[in-house]
Amino acid sequence: MSLTESSNTLYELKNVERKYNFKSNEVLAIKDVSLEISEGELLILEGPSGSGKSTLLQMLGVLDLPTKGSISFLGESLDKASDKVRTKLRSLKIGFIFQQFNLIPTLSALDNVELAMVPTKAKKSAREARAKELLERVGLSHRLNHMPSKLSGGEQQRVAIARALANTPQVLIADEPTGNLDSESSRQVMDLLRGLMTQSERVTVIVATHDKDIAKYGTRTLKVKDGLLV
Ligand SMILES: Nc1ncnc2c1ncn2[C@@H]1O[C@H](COP(=O)(O)OP(=O)(O)O)[C@@H](O)[C@H]1O
Ligand SMILES: [Mg+2]
């Protein structure tokens, strides 16, 4: 991290645009977004379908780059970083959760979480111990050997959160994490996400949602409309 930057700035976006070329049309999914995100926030990006939330999250997740403007993450300018550096940032610093949970259906809850640690050098026993600890933390110590199909939606999403935390990311990016959940499970998932930055491993959380009720869980809410923050 550069010395001139305050140590708790995670992201800095300056006049970010993302244009898609789709057939002969141009879609300006993100028009002009400037934003700073600090460590320890639970930032909610709220907006209707098509407003550009997922596009913005993909750039924050270092999966995609702006077509104009700049993004720095942990003091590193992403547009100037090599593919190798970007891949490393993505795999070591960022965890993802999705509306569809994306668990592997043929693996138990424990194995789903453990699998995320296979690319690290950790031994099998250490991976398993950490997977158990994480599942305990999300309230699923009684579901370790259950297959995803035997878990409720809320439980599956909590497994996905445990998996996303496996390699101690600094940021957790969640795209419509409650989109497939009833209100009670949504509350549990959001309470859990909210707790992540107050516990020993401080994780900054960025959530995109179209659900206004989710906004109350944020430490900050930004509204997204037609590719702009409003
Ligand atoms: N890969 C793509 N190619 C072309 N257009 C896209 C692509 N991804 C998203 N878009 C368009 O960009 C706009 C924003 O989409 P998106 O970021 O998915 O919004 P949200 O997540 O808020 O629903 C929409 O008009 C969408 O159709
Ligand atoms: Mg979306």
Side-chain angles (χ1 to χ4, degrees):
M1 191 171 289
S2 68
L3 292 171
T4 49
E5 196 163 42
S6 111
S7 64
N8 67 351
T9 301
L10 268 188
Y11 288 96
E12 203 171 351
L13 282 72
K14 283 193 189 135
N15 303 108
V16 167
E17 175 204 273
R18 178 64 169 98
K19 188 190 281 175
Y20 293 114
N21 290 307
F22 183 66
K23 300 191 176 159
S24 54
N25 292 318
E26 281 187 346
V27 181
L28 260 182
I30 292 294
K31 289 175 182 155
D32 182 6
V33 166
S34 295
L35 170 66
E36 269 190 40
I37 304 174
S38 305
E39 211 166 77
E41 292 197 72
L42 196 181
L43 177 65
I44 310 268
L45 299 168
E46 185 210 319
S49 174
S51 57
K53 305 179 298 293
S54 295
T55 299
L56 196 51
L57 286 192
Q58 278 169 32
M59 292 190 282
L60 296 172
V62 197
L63 293 161
D64 189 23
L65 286 168
T67 42
K68 261 192 207 159
S70 68
I71 302 182
S72 74
F73 174 54
L74 295 166
E76 184 113 35
S77 170
L78 293 179
D79 34 327
K80 296 190 189 85
S82 64
D83 282 347
K84 202 174 150 189
V85 166
R86 283 206 293 266
T87 303
K88 210 168 152 185
L89 285 173
R90 189 162 62 230
S91 59
L92 297 179
K93 304 288 185 190
I94 303 174
F96 294 91
I97 65 170
F98 307 95
Q99 179 170 355
Q100 310 291 348
F101 324 129
N102 296 0
L103 299 177
I104 295 176
T106 53
L107 295 180
S108 67
L110 188 69
D111 290 345
N112 262 283
V113 179
E114 195 207 312
L115 184 67
M117 290 174 266
V118 168
T120 70
K121 299 276 185 298
K123 288 202 185 99
K124 167 94 181 157
S125 58
R127 297 199 307 258
E128 211 173 276
R130 177 152 173 83
K132 276 188 186 153
E133 182 191 302
L134 286 162
L135 284 166
E136 203 162 292
R137 182 157 150 198
V138 300
L140 292 176
S141 47
H142 59 307
R143 293 281 188 271
L144 300 181
N145 298 311
H146 282 57
M147 302 306 253
S149 61
K150 302 286 181 213
L151 298 171
S152 70
E155 289 171 334
Q156 290 184 60
Q157 193 59 298
R158 287 187 278 147
V159 174
I161 293 171
R163 177 180 61 184
L165 295 173
N167 298 319
T168 58
Q170 243 163 312
V171 188
L172 185 63
I173 291 184
D175 198 353
E176 304 274 4
T178 61
N180 279 336
L181 302 181
D182 58 46
S183 56
E184 174 57 18
S185 303
S186 298
R187 188 189 61 73
Q188 283 179 3
V189 161
M190 291 311 298
D191 279 342
L192 191 60
L193 293 178
R194 173 117 204 181
L196 291 178
M197 55 196 177
T198 55
Q199 295 178 10
S200 52
E201 294 170 46
R202 282 170 58 87
V203 186
T204 301
V205 182
I206 305 169
V207 174
T209 183
H210 66 273
D211 183 349
K212 288 185 181 64
D213 291 339
I214 294 300
K216 66 172 182 277
Y217 294 94
T219 57
R220 178 161 64 130
T221 300
L222 296 170
K223 297 219 164 132
V224 188
K225 197 176 172 223
D226 298 331
L228 295 166
L229 298 181
V230 293

